Amino acid sequence: MRRLEIIVSRLVWFVPTLLGLIVVVFLISNVVPTDPARIVAGENATEAQIEALRVRMGLDKPLPVQFGIYLRDLATGDMGQSLYTRRDISSDLLHRLPATLELTFAAMILAIGLGVPLGVISAIRRNSLTDQVLRLLSISGLAVASFWLAMELQMYFSTKLGWTPLNGRIAGWGPERVTGFLLVDSVLAGDWASLRSALSHLILPAITLALPAAATLVRFTRAGVLEVVNSNFVLYETAMGWPRPLIVWKYVLRNALISTVTQIGLVFGALFAGAVVVEAVFDWPGLGTYAVQSILQSDTKAILGFSILVGVVFIVINLAVDIVHTFIDPRILK
C-alpha cells in the first residue's frame, strides 16, 4: 500500500514538472534573437511580406498567448512545422527517435556490462594494482571528449583496419520499417545480412557513448560496494565461513546497487542527450543529427521540439528510477 502511495505521488508530480519544463524551454527559445517569420519568408522577402507572415504565424500576439496556443497544440501531439523543411516536427522526431534509442540502449548495455563488474572488482581489491589501474581508467574515461574518441576509433578501426563502417546506420536500404529499430526489423524480416550490417554500424558509436558512462558506473559501484562490504552482516557472513564470491555477488552487490540504479537512470538520460555529438560524427540519422541541423539553421521551433522531447525522456527515466527504488530499497517504504 505504501509503495502504491509513493508511485501515485510521483505520477502526480509528473504533470507540474513537465509543465515547468515546457515553460522554461519555451521562454528560452523566445530569448534567441531569431525572427522565425524572416527565416520562413526567405532572403528576398520585403518587410511588408515578413510582417504579414508574422501575423499569420501568430508572432504578433503577446508571449503568454503564443505559449497558450503552443501548449494547446502540444496537448494534441502537434509541435508545429519546421521553419526550413516545413515538415511536421512531431513526425520528424518520432521517425528519428528509434535510431537514437537503439544507439542509447546499446551503449547502456555496454556501459552496465563493463562498469558494474569492474566497479565490484575495484572495490574488493581495494588499493591493489588492479584497483589503481581501474581508477585511472575510469578517470580517463570521464575526461576524454566524445568527439575526439569517436574520431580516433574511426581512424583506427574503420580507416586503418577496415573492420567497421566509417559512418551511417546501415548499408543499402535495409529491411522494411516496422518498429524503426533496425536490429529488431532485421530479425522480424529474417534479413540476416541487414542485421550484420546494422550491428557493424552500431559498434563504434555505441562504444564511444558507452565508455564515459562505464567510467561513471565503475566509480559509483566501487563506492557502493565499499560502503556495504564493511557492514556488520557481511562481517558476520564472512565469519560464518560463507564463500567470498557468494557474499559479494549475491548480498553485497544487491545492497550496493541501490545507488548505482539511480546513477544508471541518470546515465541513460545523459547518453540520450549526449548522443548529439556522437551522431553528428558518425552521421547517425537520429535525433542528434536533427538537433545539430536545426541549430545550424536557427530552426527555433525544431530546437524547441527536440528540447521538450529530451526533457520528457529525463523526467520519465527519473520516474522509473523512483519506482524501481521502491522495490529494491525497503527503507523507502518506512
Side-chain angles (χ1 to χ4, degrees), residues 231-268:
S231 56
N232 291 333
F233 80 93
V234 174
L235 296 175
Y236 173 77
E237 288 169 347
T238 303
M240 293 293 292
W242 287 40
R244 182 71 171 172
L246 176 66
I247 296 173
V248 171
W249 293 104
K250 186 173 182 180
Y251 298 105
V252 174
L253 187 58
R254 180 179 178 183
N255 290 278
L257 278 182
I258 293 173
S259 60
T260 304
V261 167
T262 303
Q263 197 59 32
I264 287 175
L266 297 176
V267 165
F268 185 88

Side-chain angles (χ1 to χ4, degrees), residues 14 19 32 46 58 60 91 94 145 169 173 228 253 260 282-283:
F14 180 83
L19 186 60
V32 179
T46 64
D60 60 322
S91 299
L94 288 177
R169 196 180 175 204
W173 295 102
V228 178
L253 187 58
T260 304
F282 286 98
D283 195 22

Side-chain angles (χ1 to χ4, degrees), residues 317-334:
I317 289 171
N318 278 290
L319 177 64
V321 169
D322 286 345
I323 293 175
V324 170
H325 264 174
T326 64
F327 288 94
I328 64 174
D329 189 358
R331 292 172 297 182
I332 294 178
L333 302 179
K334 293 180 180 177

Side-chain angles (χ1 to χ4, degrees), residues 3-12 319 323 326-327:
R3 177 177 293 123
L4 183 62
E5 290 176 5
I6 294 174
I7 293 174
V8 170
S9 69
R10 298 292 190 274
L11 290 173
V12 168
L319 177 64
I323 293 175
T326 64
F327 288 94

Side-chain angles (χ1 to χ4, degrees), residues 71-90:
L71 201 59
R72 181 200 62 194
D73 294 341
L74 196 62
T76 63
D78 181 10
M79 290 183 169
Q81 290 184 332
S82 164
L83 299 179
Y84 268 89
T85 64
R86 308 304 298 162
R87 288 199 302 266
D88 187 73
I89 295 172
S90 305

Side-chain angles (χ1 to χ4, degrees), residues 24-193:
V24 171
V25 176
F26 182 83
L27 290 176
I28 292 175
S29 71
N30 279 274
V31 171
V32 179
T34 302
D35 186 353
R38 194 174 293 278
I39 293 175
V40 174
E43 296 179 356
N44 298 322
T46 64
E47 288 299 323
Q49 290 172 325
I50 293 172
E51 190 56 37
L53 188 58
R54 187 175 288 117
V55 172
R56 200 172 71 190
M57 294 173 67
L59 299 175
D60 60 322
K61 294 180 171 61
L63 196 59
V65 177
Q66 292 184 42
F67 177 71
I69 295 172
Y70 185 79
L71 201 59
R72 181 200 62 194
D73 294 341
L74 196 62
T76 63
D78 181 10
M79 290 183 169
Q81 290 184 332
S82 164
L83 299 179
Y84 268 89
T85 64
R86 308 304 298 162
R87 288 199 302 266
D88 187 73
I89 295 172
S90 305
S91 299
D92 279 350
L93 292 176
L94 288 177
H95 184 78
R96 288 170 175 266
L97 181 60
T100 299
L101 284 178
E102 191 168 66
L103 174 59
T104 306
F105 279 126
M108 196 70 242
I109 291 171
L110 277 176
I112 294 174
L114 285 173
V116 174
L118 292 180
V120 174
I121 292 171
S122 181
I124 60 179
R125 298 186 179 180
R126 185 181 184 186
N127 295 331
S128 66
L129 179 61
T130 303
D131 181 31
Q132 300 293 340
V133 170
L134 289 175
R135 289 170 66 185
L136 178 63
L137 290 176
S138 64
I139 294 173
S140 303
L142 290 172
V144 69
S146 295
F147 70 89
W148 179 84
L149 179 61
M151 290 189 289
E152 289 295 318
L153 291 175
Q154 281 180 320
M155 287 178 60
Y156 191 74
F157 291 102
S158 301
T159 306
K160 186 175 180 180
L161 298 178
W163 289 356
T164 59
L166 186 65
N167 53 28
R169 196 180 175 204
I170 193 170
W173 295 102
E176 183 180 355
R177 184 184 178 95
V178 179
T179 64
F181 294 86
L182 277 180
L183 300 182
V184 177
D185 289 349
S186 298
V187 172
L188 291 177
D191 188 346
W192 309 121

